[in-house]
């Protein structure tokens, strides 16, 4: 993750990354943008993180859930597992309320 305040020379790398994320959202919804699929591919090759901090945190919790599932054979994480149990409970609530995006 590139902090928003990161600069290279006179260029604000963090702001540029933020603008690329916004452009990718437009591209993904079919809107016109100068960002192309070829650009996205090249940025993916250097490890571009498209989702920002919140998506990285979500992915980290998801990876923990996959490990839990692999060990336990289910995803009913007990609330005694405070970090993961709370996260899973929040995901369920978001799903029930229609606020969990389809890709999640």
């Amino acid at each position: 993750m590139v902090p928003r305040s990161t600069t290279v020379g006179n260029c604000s790398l963090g702001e540029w990354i933020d603008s690329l994320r916004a452009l990718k959202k437009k591209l993904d919804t079919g809107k016109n943008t100068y960002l192309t699929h070829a650009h996205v591919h090249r940025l993916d090759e250097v490890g571009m993180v498209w989702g920002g901090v919140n998506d990285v945190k979500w992915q980290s919790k998801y990876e923990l859930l996959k490990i839990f599932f692999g060990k336990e054979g289910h995803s009913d994480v007990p609330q005694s597992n405070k970090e993961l149990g709370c996260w899973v409970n929040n995901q369920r609530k978001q799903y029930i309320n229609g606020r969990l995006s389809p890709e999640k």
Side-chain angles (χ1 to χ4, degrees):
M1 294 294 302
V2 177
R4 196 171 209 298
S5 60
T6 303
T7 59
V8 177
N10 292 331
C11 179
S12 173
L13 184 59
E15 288 181 15
W16 182 65
I17 297 281
D18 282 350
S19 69
L20 288 174
R21 288 183 179 128
L23 290 170
K24 175 132 181 344
K25 284 181 183 179
K26 287 182 178 182
L27 181 67
D28 290 346
T29 59
K31 295 180 181 172
N32 288 333
T33 173
Y34 67 84
L35 185 70
T36 66
H37 292 286
H39 291 139
V40 170
H41 178 72
R42 290 176 65 193
L43 289 163
D44 285 340
E45 288 178 338
V46 296
M48 175 68 174
V49 177
W50 293 105
V53 174
N54 288 335
D55 282 346
V56 170
K57 288 178 183 177
W58 187 93
Q59 189 65 37
S60 173
K61 298 289 189 194
Y62 176 71
E63 294 300 324
L64 289 175
L65 180 59
K66 287 186 354 185
I67 293 167
F68 179 91
F69 182 84
K71 289 179 181 176
E72 303 296 329
H74 62 82
S75 60
D76 190 16
V77 181
Q79 292 299 302
S80 60
N81 182 334
K82 294 201 184 293
E83 181 182 7
L84 188 57
C86 182
W87 181 82
V88 168
N89 191 42
N90 286 337
Q91 299 308 299
R92 287 186 180 124
K93 286 179 184 176
Q94 287 184 11
Y95 175 78
I96 289 167
N97 294 324
R99 294 186 319 218
L100 192 65
S101 62
E103 65 270 6
K104 291 182 177 177

